[in-house]
Amino acid sequence: MTDAEFEESLALAPEAVRRYLSGKGWRAERDLNGGELWERGPGNEPDPGDEPGPPYEVLVPSRRRRDYPGRIADILETLALVETRRPGDILREMQLPPVDWQFLRLVPPGPSGTAPLLDLVSALTGFKDLHTAAASSALAPQAVQPGQKPQVVKDHVAAVRLDQTRVGSYVLAAHTPLPDPLARLPRVAHEQATLFHADAAPDGPGARQAEPFGRQVTRMLFAGVTCAVAAAEETLAQDSLTDFDRFTGAGLSANLCESLVRIAGEERRDFSLAFAWSSELPVEQPSPPVNIASRHLEALEEGAKDLRARLGHEAGAVLRGVVTRLHAEHLGSREATVYGFFEHEYAARMRNVRVRLRREDIDPATDAWRNRYEVLVEGDTEPRGNGVKMRHVSAFVVRPE
């Protein structure tokens, strides 16, 4: 520890140390004179970067005495050995408010602790989209989440913080802040919610509403990813696409499946997601790491396409392409066929989309058709036979060459 970090430890409350230890799998064993003895046994550590080891012990002071900084320094040095991290990094994490953690473990080629830039770009984009999908499902579970996201979803994604990487190939650590314990409803309401569906808890929907939104999102993230892997395994075992829609209530969506495929990148590498829950809102149900193998990805991709094809009502979708045909309809209205792709889809798929034009869109669409100009169209999509139709157009932009 540096001298500055040693001074910082003076301000660290014993409650913060206990919260950190509890969240990392340590257990309070017994009270001693002036402190508590905490122990970490093999396999208790939720961080996927750490390997199981023999038991460790630390003595947490119950109150500040003259040797308080030295006691905290001893704890930090032990934790640094257990976690293979700098004591100052652990101290900084102890100073955080209550948070839920997610650990995205990549398995890129090359030395441990490094990753190709392109792999990280895909992983971070997919990780952001994964949180967006989970936050959308926390508000309203749907097979296909709308393109226009509510502000609360955007606020959640903006609040997620990336932490320093962990040891173990390449581990991205992120945390979701939770509100101060004093500002929340009684804890009993939270403890009754399950990780897969709070409405199934004894108190029904009320238990779910009592949770902080950040915890609802983390729970939806864990459940949705777990169900996505289960659906992929079922598809592979049956050699036939299973019904992904039946997992929608637990957080699975076409958007979430596409996010998992995006994390794997162009090389379709294996990865895993692990979760650590804030000790301020303890979770008794086991939440083991979820492993997504390359063999799952094709099933996830096909499951997402099936959900979009059957249930793909998307609000605020953006279509990019060219007008290939104009259709005269009754009462002077028109439709256009646009051959292109939707920008929200990771695996861009070219298709013919029937677009219902507004009166002011007819002339620009005609000009684009005659000159083969590219167009950008924003509107709501819905299934149309084996294809997609766009209605309620809010923007029609012609992009001349």
Side-chain angles (χ1 to χ4, degrees):
M1 290 181 63
T2 66
D3 291 342
E5 291 165 349
F6 188 82
E7 292 297 324
E8 279 187 54
S9 66
L10 283 170
L12 192 66
E15 292 78 12
V17 179
R18 287 193 286 267
R19 182 175 65 199
Y20 180 89
L21 293 174
S22 177
K24 291 292 185 178
W26 293 69
R27 297 290 180 266
E29 292 298 319
R30 57 186 180 274
D31 291 332
L32 298 175
N33 184 26
E36 287 180 329
L37 185 67
W38 285 67
E39 181 178 293
R40 174 197 178 273
N44 286 344
E45 175 57 57
D47 188 326
D50 289 325
E51 298 293 334
Y56 288 87
E57 293 180 342
V58 295
L59 182 62
V60 181
S62 57
R63 56 186 181 275
R64 286 184 172 86
R65 293 182 174 177
R66 184 169 296 181
D67 63 345
Y68 183 80
R71 296 277 189 93
I72 298 298
D74 290 342
I75 294 172
L76 292 172
E77 293 292 346
T78 300
L79 292 173
L81 177 63
V82 173
E83 300 180 23
T84 323
R85 299 170 64 198
R86 289 184 60 255
D89 295 338
I90 297 172
L91 173 63
R92 179 183 50 78
E93 189 172 324
M94 285 183 177
Q95 294 167 331
L96 291 174
V99 295
D100 283 340
W101 287 87
Q102 304 92 44
F103 301 97
L104 172 58
R105 184 175 186 270
L106 307 176
V107 191
S112 178
T114 69
L117 177 60
L118 291 180
D119 283 18
L120 288 181
V121 170
S122 296
L124 288 172
T125 302
F127 203 20
K128 174 183 73 69
D129 293 346
L130 200 62
H131 267 278
T132 301
S136 299
S137 291
L139 282 181
Q142 297 180 60
V144 179
Q145 293 293 345
Q148 289 287 73
K149 307 303 181 191
Q151 189 60 45
V152 66
V153 172
K154 297 177 182 178
D155 290 343
H156 166 79
V157 175
V160 176
R161 309 292 294 180
L162 280 178
D163 202 75
Q164 294 178 341
T165 56
R166 302 292 196 266
V167 174
S169 195
Y170 200 94
V171 181
L172 295 170
H175 57 79
T176 305
L178 301 175
D180 186 275
L182 298 178
R184 292 199 305 266
L185 296 176
R187 179 177 294 179
V188 64
H190 308 300
E191 291 176 344
Q192 291 168 338
T194 70
L195 288 177
F196 282 84
H197 208 303
D199 292 347
D203 279 0
R208 182 175 185 175
Q209 294 169 0
E211 288 184 309
F213 186 65
R215 167 54 62 83
Q216 291 183 45
V217 175
T218 312
R219 179 170 51 77
M220 274 292 185
L221 184 55
F222 170 77
V225 172
T226 300
C227 289
V229 173
E233 285 284 1
E234 201 172 295
T235 294
L236 294 171
Q238 298 176 354
D239 197 23
S240 176
L241 187 63
T242 192
D243 183 10
F244 278 56
D245 184 41
R246 78 178 195 270
F247 296 103
T248 298
L252 185 144
S253 65
N255 312 66
L256 182 135
C257 292
E258 291 161 351
S259 301
L260 293 174
V261 174
R262 186 173 292 120
I263 289 173
E266 293 184 2
E267 300 298 326
R268 301 294 181 99
R269 305 191 199 280
D270 298 357
F271 64 93
S272 67
L273 277 162
F275 299 79
W277 310 88
S278 170
S279 59
E280 296 294 329
L281 269 72
V283 171
E284 301 301 327
Q285 183 177 345
S287 52
V290 185
N291 298 307
I292 297 90
S294 58
R295 62 190 178 86
H296 295 137
L297 299 174
E298 185 176 354
L300 293 174
E301 201 167 42
E302 292 304 314
K305 289 178 182 178
D306 180 64
L307 289 175
R308 287 194 180 277
R310 292 187 297 112
L311 307 163
H313 295 266
E314 180 105 24
V318 176
L319 172 66
R320 181 192 295 267
V322 294
V323 178
T324 59
R325 189 175 177 185
L326 296 173
H327 311 267
E329 299 292 333
H330 64 284
L331 299 179
S333 65
R334 278 184 176 271
E335 291 186 346
T337 296
V338 176
Y339 181 68
F341 62 92
F342 289 104
E343 291 191 340
H344 63 264
E345 293 182 347
Y346 171 61
R349 182 158 57 107
M350 302 299 291
R351 64 178 88 191
N352 288 307
V353 180
R354 194 81 167 254
V355 178
R356 174 64 62 88
L357 301 174
R358 302 169 298 179
R359 185 177 300 275
E360 61 267 32
D361 300 328
I362 294 175
D363 287 343
T366 302
D367 186 46
W369 171 66
R370 286 174 176 162
N371 295 285
R372 301 292 291 176
Y373 291 150
E374 184 182 63
V375 298
L376 289 177
V377 190
E378 182 175 349
D380 301 342
T381 66
E382 60 185 41
R384 177 180 179 268
N386 293 326
V388 179
K389 184 173 184 176
M390 178 174 280
R391 302 166 59 89
H392 306 124
V393 170
S394 56
F396 191 101
V397 179
V398 178
R399 303 181 65 182
E401 295 179 349

